[in-house]
Amino acid sequence: MNFDLSDEQKMLGEQARGLLSARSTFDRLRALIDAGFEWDEPLWRELAEMGFLGAAIPEVHGGLGMSELDLAVISQELGRANAALPFFSSIVLAADAIRLAGSDAQQSEWLPKLARGEIVACFAYAEGSAGWTGGAVKARLANARLIGTKTPVADGGVADIAVVLTEVGGEPGLALVRLDQPGVTRVKLASFDQLRAHYSLIFDGAAAEVLDAQPAREVLDQLFDRAAVQAAFEGVGGAEACLYMARDYAMERQIFGRSLAGYQAIKHKLADVYAGVELARSAAFYGAWAAADGGNELPAAAAAARLQAIDAFERAARENIQVHGGIGYTFEANCHFYYRRERTLALSLGGRERWADRLIAHLPDLRSEAPDHAKAA
Amino acid sequence: MNFDLSDEQKMLGEQARGLLSARSTFDRLRALIDAGFEWDEPLWRELAEMGFLGAAIPEVHGGLGMSELDLAVISQELGRANAALPFFSSIVLAADAIRLAGSDAQQSEWLPKLARGEIVACFAYAEGSAGWTGGAVKARLANARLIGTKTPVADGGVADIAVVLTEVGGEPGLALVRLDQPGVTRVKLASFDQLRAHYSLIFDGAAAEVLDAQPAREVLDQLFDRAAVQAAFEGVGGAEACLYMARDYAMERQIFGRSLAGYQAIKHKLADVYAGVELARSAAFYGAWAAADGGNELPAAAAAARLQAIDAFERAARENIQVHGGIGYTFEANCHFYYRRERTLALSLGGRERWADRLIAHLPDLRSEAPDHAKAA
Amino acid sequence: MDFKDTPEEAAFRTTARAWLAANAPEFELPAGVHIEDAEEIRLGRAWLARKTANRYGSILLPETYGGRGGTIMEAVVFAEEEGRYRLPRGAYVGIGIGMAIPTILKHGRSDQVERFVGPTLRGEMTWCQLFSEPSAGSDLAGLRTRAVKDDAADEWVVNGQKVWSSWAHLTDWGVLIARTDVSVPKHKGLTFFVVDMKTPGIQVRPIRQISGLKDFNETFLTDVRIPDTNRIGAVGEGWACAMTLLTGERLGQGGEGKDRGIIDLIRFAAQTPRAEATALDNSAVRLALAGAYAEEQAEKHFQARLRTMISRGENPGAAASIVKLIYSNRYQKTSGLAMEIREMAGIAHAPDDTFTPELWYDYIWSTALRIAGGADEVLRNQIAERVLGMPGEVRTDKNVAFDKL
Amino acid sequence: MDFKDTPEEAAFRTTARAWLAANAPEFELPAGVHIEDAEEIRLGRAWLARKTANRYGSILLPETYGGRGGTIMEAVVFAEEEGRYRLPRGAYVGIGIGMAIPTILKHGRSDQVERFVGPTLRGEMTWCQLFSEPSAGSDLAGLRTRAVKDDAADEWVVNGQKVWSSWAHLTDWGVLIARTDVSVPKHKGLTFFVVDMKTPGIQVRPIRQISGLKDFNETFLTDVRIPDTNRIGAVGEGWACAMTLLTGERLGQGGEGKDRGIIDLIRFAAQTPRAEATALDNSAVRLALAGAYAEEQAEKHFQARLRTMISRGENPGAAASIVKLIYSNRYQKTSGLAMEIREMAGIAHAPDDTFTPELWYDYIWSTALRIAGGADEVLRNQIAERVLGMPGEVRTDKNVAFDKL
């Protein structure tokens, strides 16, 4: 048993953190918003060059073949920096979907390009409030033509291709669609997160190929579980950034003749934030280990990681502004990046309810092992 | 519009509070527990003599004919004192059931005796975890004979009669049963609240009369709504007692060279308890007014009062012990009375879920008045 | 206790309702659209002028000042009825009516009352508030803006920086608190002024907020000259004036018709499709929203109790602090929850969706509400100290001259 | 990172599991029944003796002291496996193993190590803790029990009152902290002793607790004479000894196999009938219990991270405080919720119902857990100050002689 990152993983994290803290500063983020950019394209190129994009893509397909935990270390740093990059869309979701469901030929065609950052992919699953589970998916693929509307789709504006959750012959399926074709219309939506643009993708007979090396029904749960772990790390990184922003601000702010950080109201608030961050990180560690291990612990571990990370980041993002006081409400104070990203993470992949259900569905033998009290119930 | 008690009501409250603080001291409560008594019988007699038991019973039936708000003032003081009395069972529930559902003859026979405290009644509705709504009631009345088990029944040990929720000819009905007859067996249960004893009442063909001047189906909701308002006042009284116990203890306790009450952790905790108490009191006021007014505001007002009172008392009872520290865990420190009574109140009459459902069911026109966004949903 | 109108109140309500039906619609703001600030303030002035011309501008002020001389319950009735319309009643009129006028009436001289009260009530004079500073928010008495007397000119020369001055870019006058003596403890060296916002040396710069709006400002004061006749109250009496003003603010909080709040979210959940028919059929959603609704109603009734106290001449004091404390926290929780109810559609919306942007604005604005006008932590201190009588914080700055801190 | 056993750990687990299967059952406590205290302590001594005879008494202590000299991961493996049985491992053995021995080993002389460590490990010497006092709980250094040296007899004469001394009525020895110098600041005048509980002048009185149990005591010390050879560490070094001891306590918290906690409640909900089939089909219940389960698992993995740190010789320090803080609050919330899930049957139960009384005990005991061994508020202070580096409380008592306070 060993419950810590390896030295190599720590180094990887420091490397990513170093790059992001130098390139993806708050000044840079504000400049991106003001310029109306949907991503930090030069930074994406740098990530690609340093191998971060291909970290978890198999070596045969041009990646580094590292583990889910290595990927998680990168996700955490992206969360900490609140980076404006389509990493979650293109790498965590789309590339993983191609790896899980694509044929060898499809993997060979697309994964190297994704790993090198030559193209960007988005992953189109939602269809509005209606969700995407059960019979909710209305998009249809027939005769290699896709019809339907997916919305909202993160990074749908900067993506070259989309992996689309659709119906194929009465079953859920995953289709790969090039976005630069006549049958595709992209409608930009207003996005809560100013650094993660969402689109409606309208497919009106667009040419599409099915990813069907494995049945989508089996792939989807696994894909979402794996993505949930990465989202948890992104959330932990963001929550931790909030914690230390708030701590540092409180340390320097004087109020009623002493440091704001000396008041119990502030100390106890941040102690609770700290506890949330560390618990969420612990749950995320276990989730990443379970993803890498490939055993049947993944669904419950991913769900627990997701639930803890949502709670931790929510609290951290809210209280960070609170500790900053009025200045926290200004665009220049940077708290808002996390306040917006937090909701985006929390509402993507299905919210708390979906993961609570999934967690409980994957606990062992709830109805069979009767505890003592059942007799008296 | 006038949102306060009348001077008469305030006087009534002071009178009740004076009596209870003199007679129903914590020493007295501890002595009752040690003696194994299920109620404070002498105090019950005093309450009867002062007219408190008959406060809301009509004058024609030997009561004072006062309003629900007057009764509420008494309930609040009983909650504050954590009194060991069957007031909620005998007066708030059973007497009200007889008044609402009984014929003139039944009212004339029983209400004066209840008002004078000559007899005590209990109200038997639950049948274990299964609840008592819908098809859950298994007790059956046929040919004036009652068969079934009601459990748990508060004050079932000291009661002379029971008003029983039972099925009568396929419909819910209320029956009145004398408990001193061969067809009745009382089994004492272990009760969480050491000052409110609960029983199983087993009816094996006991003689019973139906209260059917009004259909029980109509009476029951009203009865529970009215009782919920009184329970809310009892909870507010208890919560307020906890608040000031904690405050007073913190004021006198010294820690690290200064008053415990000077630490923000304690101050902010009690500020939140205070806010909960005052909101709950405000909701309870409105509930009592709605009960007295007889308009259709009662269901939502009662549900809101109940929800707020459960939250307020729960928080107050828990944090009272916390502020006391180790001493709060001793029997002598008296915090436990409220900690136990709180759960008893919270779990009686159906818990949070029942009242949340009832509140939402009684809001106006949820599906018809579409807000702007419905178009875009 | 009676939650219904008395016959007199009912009669007043009928009259007010009829008057509003005839007059309010032409001043209503469009739903879900932000109009130009200048246009909104123009509408706001005109609506206030219309009300005052009909003795609805201030229900409570005596008729001699242009008010109605009514009861607090009449004020409540009118606010409830007025709340049915989407009217321009922003800080540009609220600060004048609710803060500047009460302070001038209590601390000002009769010629000052004469100069400012009538024009303010008629919408001719709009107001902003120059109180908070970058290093003086919750600790207002730590403010650093200096006012130095030029005895020769009988003027004060003011230098400093103020923040969070809503609408300062468009209002006529400001209420200002400045330090006139640094040699005494911090609360004692302050003086209260009113200042014409067109005075040379005043520069107003919009603050870019996290909501995207810019309706708050920072205001720089550089050698701004204020005639001594615009000083309100005695020199050094500024803290008392500020307290009068902030009491007006506190009692005003949450006072507007907020009834639509949670019921709108419940309706919204009832109309959002889900596996269980609608989101409202989900018991977790139901429990959360019912709890929020119960709290909202309880708060409404608590405010009603406060008004009953005030109508009897009692002062509820810090007890009133719970209103904003509870409200702003609930507001953050429920707007965050409402976004979750919307699932993925809660984070990105199409142009024709006017509800989601309102939720977003709520979720962002709630953070400001938890801070402005008494932060959560300040309000809890006030309740603990002033209502529950618990000891104040350990203070090292209280009896020390400001320039020795 | 690997959440699975290494081959060595797996081998040790197999061995330990087999040994436990052969030895543990005869020492198991009956489920749902409280046996006599004296009988429990007898069983506890015997179980510890059996373990120590087989080198399982302390996995971490070196073999020379009677331990196994194993790794922290082996200690974890053994605790997990031992946790599968309902064994007598109360404070009567825990204080000796987890608190007295580490303190004596760090601060005691070799003859003291000789005298106390072996017998304690073999279950021959049981221990209680004489630390807290009526007016010194969270503020332990404020304790008033006095120890005065009788130089002629080379003994200390101790007078005072201790509270919360679990099992003091039945244990052999106590760890005691007393004030030996009132002329220095409070933390500096303390000295640490071990005391034979049969010494004349020690009177142990049970405290009646709100749970109905009486396993805690108050202990009155009247002219109790302690030989100087039973002093541990130097005179005035008591606070350092106490910190060593309490670190042992903190790391021990929540360390036992608590896995059954939330899953038991989830099972219970799955078996409680409701309108929606079972209580677990209610989404509010599901959300609350899934959240609690996720938190519980996260905490378990957090503890695993702490153990990895310790196994590398790093000191997690105050970060470990979050375990009890989170655990005890969750425990109160979930046991209260479980009572609610039971509806009316949650407040009164029939004699054959053994689950409801466990819920009641949990709901009551959770209040003690939020206080004992570091109250919520103390733990939050520690995290803020020692982990986040935020300033300590304003202290007026720190550099003042105790008799001048």
Side-chain angles (χ1 to χ4, degrees), chain B residues 30 33-34 194 329-334 336, chain D residues 208-210:
Chain B
R30 280 187 262 103
I33 291 173
D34 288 342
Q194 295 176 295
Y329 199 66
T330 65
F331 190 75
E332 299 301 314
N334 307 312
H336 58 101
Chain D
R208 183 172 180 182
Q209 298 153 43
I210 68 175

Side-chain angles (χ1 to χ4, degrees), chain A residues 61 98-109 209-214:
Chain A
H61 297 310
I98 294 170
R99 197 181 70 71
L100 290 172
S103 64
D104 278 347
Q106 287 168 326
Q107 293 189 46
S108 317
E109 181 178 1
E209 53 181 302
V210 186
L211 302 173
D212 57 1
Q214 274 196 73

Side-chain angles (χ1 to χ4, degrees), chain B residues 13-34:
Chain B
E14 278 161 30
Q15 213 182 0
R17 189 169 181 171
L19 174 69
L20 291 163
S21 64
R23 294 284 189 279
S24 190
T25 60
F26 289 138
D27 284 347
R28 172 74 179 157
L29 298 184
R30 280 187 262 103
L32 289 171
I33 291 173
D34 288 342

Side-chain angles (χ1 to χ4, degrees), chain D residues 373-399:
Chain D
D376 287 1
E377 293 76 16
V378 171
L379 298 176
R380 290 197 181 97
N381 274 346
Q382 288 177 355
I383 294 166
E385 293 169 21
R386 299 191 204 156
V387 182
L388 300 176
M390 298 169 82
E393 282 306 293
V394 176
R395 289 282 288 271
T396 56
D397 61 336
K398 229 165 175 180
N399 297 308

Side-chain angles (χ1 to χ4, degrees), chain D residues 164-239:
Chain D
W164 306 117
S165 22
S166 315
W167 297 90
H169 57 308
L170 288 171
T171 43
D172 305 310
W173 282 78
V175 286
L176 169 73
I177 182 164
R179 186 168 306 280
T180 46
D181 187 350
V182 296
S183 71
V184 294
K186 56 202 260 191
H187 293 80
K188 296 188 177 157
L190 305 172
T191 302
F192 192 94
F193 301 92
V194 293
V195 56
D196 184 335
M197 292 299 289
K198 286 177 292 297
T199 313
I202 297 181
Q203 196 200 354
V204 176
R205 286 211 297 241
I207 295 175
R208 183 172 180 182
Q209 298 153 43
I210 68 175
S211 61
L213 297 184
K214 295 182 183 177
D215 53 356
F216 293 152
N217 302 283
E218 24 186 20
T219 302
F220 297 86
L221 301 120
T222 313
D223 292 334
V224 173
R225 300 190 78 90
I226 300 178
D228 191 55
T229 50
N230 290 356
R231 169 173 50 78
I232 307 290
V235 173
E237 199 185 314
W239 187 249

Side-chain angles (χ1 to χ4, degrees), chain A residues 1-7 9-10 69 233 243-244 246-248 250-251 258-264 266-290 293 295 297 300-301 303-305 307-308 311 352-357 359-360 362-377, chain D residues 1-6 9 13 31-32 73-74 76-77 80 86 263-264 266-273 278 280-281 283-287 289-291 293-305 307-309 312 314 318-319 322 325-326 330 342 352-356 358 376-381 383-385 387-394:
Chain A
M1 293 180 284
N2 167 23
F3 308 97
D4 197 6
L5 301 174
S6 67
D7 288 343
Q9 285 158 345
K10 286 180 188 167
L69 200 49
F233 275 95
L243 169 63
Y244 290 104
R247 195 269 315 260
D248 293 348
M251 294 293 279
R258 53 188 180 104
S259 167
L260 176 61
Y263 289 85
Q264 275 192 334
I266 304 300
K267 290 164 70 174
H268 289 196
K269 187 192 293 294
L270 294 186
D272 286 339
V273 172
Y274 171 80
V277 168
E278 288 307 322
L279 289 185
R281 190 199 312 283
S282 306
F285 273 8
Y286 184 66
W289 172 81
D293 185 62
E297 288 95 341
L307 290 171
Q308 287 295 109
D311 286 353
R352 289 176 167 95
E353 291 251 10
R354 176 184 192 273
W355 294 98
D357 290 352
L359 177 55
I360 283 178
H362 284 82
L363 296 178
D365 305 326
L366 287 186
R367 325 245 159 186
S368 60
E369 285 181 35
D372 295 346
H373 71 279
K375 295 163 236 156
Chain D
M1 187 172 309
D2 196 346
F3 283 76
K4 284 187 177 156
D5 292 342
T6 61
E9 288 160 1
R13 190 184 295 276
M73 291 306 172
E74 287 174 339
V76 169
V77 167
E80 285 177 0
R86 216 178 171 100
I263 193 103
D264 248 20
I266 295 177
R267 282 209 183 93
F268 159 67
Q271 290 162 9
T272 301
T278 77
L280 192 61
D281 295 299
S283 49
V285 171
R286 216 158 55 234
L287 196 58
L289 290 179
Y293 182 82
E295 188 184 89
E296 184 187 59
Q297 295 299 305
E299 191 169 281
K300 191 178 104 181
H301 299 131
F302 176 74
Q303 288 181 282
R305 289 173 55 210
R307 285 191 295 258
T308 292
M309 290 179 71
R312 290 186 187 149
E314 297 163 23
I322 73 177
L325 174 63
I326 295 292
R330 180 178 65 246
R342 211 149 174 57
D352 62 343
D353 174 359
T354 58
F355 191 69
T356 303
E358 281 185 27
D376 287 1
E377 293 76 16
V378 171
L379 298 176
R380 290 197 181 97
N381 274 346
I383 294 166
E385 293 169 21
V387 182
L388 300 176
M390 298 169 82
E393 282 306 293
V394 176

Side-chain angles (χ1 to χ4, degrees), chain B residues 13 75 90 127-128 131 240 277 295 314 369 375:
Chain B
S75 288
S90 191
E127 298 187 4
E240 197 169 37
V277 168
E314 180 182 86
E369 284 183 36
K375 296 163 237 155

